[in-house]
Amino acid sequence: MEKVALELKPPPYPLDALEPHMSRQTFEYHWGKHHRAYVDNLNKQIVGTELDGVSLEDIVLATYNNGDFLPAFNNAAQAWNHTFFWESMKPGGGGEPSGELLELINRDFGSFETFMKEFKAAAATQFGSGWAWLAYKANKLNVGNPDEDKKLVIVKTPNAVNPLVLDYSPLLTIDVWEHAYYLDYQNRRPDYISIFMENLVSWEAVSARLEAAKASEEIRRG
């Protein structure tokens, strides 16, 4: 049976929906050219191999190879990262989260304000190309006390690396490769980061990812 090529998934909103914070022109280049190239190049790399027909997430995990990247890793991880990034945003985003997500942020970072400061700093200080993430990390050594297992952490990763390969569950990301912001903000990365956190983040998406991560961990525990 013929394998189905991986597809370029569009953002969950029109390309001009995040203006004026993220322009349609940025999306036309970032999604329409950069993201598309990762998907197209990945399909060329995996056709006819054992990765042909495998899910994108499984390709990322298989090609990470304990940090000794196989050829398809960068394109696979960048394709996955970008879809996750688009889905981390929404028109009219920002503000504060609510419910358990806010409770855990307050517990693990001291306050939402401290979390915002630390996340912005992580994104601003990721040297060169890369990503900053909010992730959920279960403490597998503490099986007897699940209340202490829900740990939120901020992670910086270079180039295409993401928390999946570090055995974390990613909840939120910001792309700090220059192509993510240069058309709108030139070299002002801190301005882009602040606008992202204050006007674009979909806390509903982050909360849903937290619930999914918790459910997945329960299944893994058996």
Side-chain angles (χ1 to χ4, degrees):
M1 187 172 74
E2 185 178 351
K3 303 293 178 65
V4 177
L6 295 165
E7 295 183 354
L8 175 67
K9 187 177 180 180
Y13 35 74
L15 298 188
D16 60 356
L18 302 186
E19 291 186 334
H21 310 301
M22 189 173 289
S23 68
R24 181 185 182 92
Q25 185 185 29
T26 285
F27 267 100
E28 287 172 345
Y29 279 94
H30 196 178
W31 173 76
K33 295 188 182 297
H34 288 279
H35 191 178
R36 184 181 302 278
Y38 295 130
V39 174
D40 289 347
N41 289 333
L42 176 61
N43 278 318
K44 293 174 184 176
Q45 285 178 308
I46 66 174
V47 65
T49 74
E50 68 278 3
L51 297 175
D52 199 351
V54 175
S55 74
L56 181 57
E57 183 171 321
D58 285 343
I59 294 172
V60 172
L61 294 172
T63 58
Y64 180 66
N65 197 32
N66 295 318
D68 186 15
F69 307 152
L70 299 179
F73 174 76
N74 284 327
N75 283 313
Q78 283 292 81
W80 191 93
N81 293 353
H82 279 85
T83 295
F84 194 88
F85 177 53
W86 310 137
E87 294 175 355
S88 292
M89 298 182 285
K90 70 171 188 175
E96 286 192 10
S98 59
E100 185 178 16
L101 176 60
L102 182 58
E103 292 174 6
L104 292 180
I105 287 174
N106 287 334
R107 190 195 72 178
D108 294 336
F109 299 100
S111 68
F112 179 68
E113 291 73 22
T114 299
F115 158 73
M116 288 283 280
K117 181 179 179 181
E118 292 183 6
F119 189 91
K120 289 178 181 180
T125 58
Q126 168 55 41
F127 182 76
S129 301
W131 304 78
W133 309 78
L134 174 66
Y136 168 90
K137 179 66 173 176
N139 179 4
K140 295 177 178 57
L141 299 178
N142 194 31
V143 176
N145 192 344
D147 288 340
E148 294 184 11
D149 286 348
K150 306 182 186 75
K151 180 70 174 177
L152 301 183
V153 293
I154 294 170
V155 182
K156 297 191 293 186
T157 60
N159 301 316
V161 176
N162 63 41
L164 290 177
V165 302
L166 307 176
D167 200 26
Y168 288 38
S169 297
L171 305 179
L172 170 69
T173 195
I174 181 171
D175 185 348
V176 293
W177 286 61
E178 281 191 345
H179 64 237
Y181 59 87
Y182 214 85
L183 290 176
D184 294 332
Y185 299 93
Q186 289 76 54
N187 64 334
R188 303 190 308 276
R189 186 195 284 192
D191 291 350
Y192 156 69
I193 295 165
S194 292
I195 290 293
F196 173 85
M197 294 301 293
E198 295 163 15
N199 297 277
L200 295 176
V201 170
S202 172
W203 291 116
E204 292 84 358
V206 180
S207 291
R209 290 163 174 168
L210 175 62
E211 290 303 310
K214 288 166 51 188
S216 177
E217 188 60 30
E218 287 300 316
I219 293 172
R220 290 172 65 176
R221 287 183 186 279

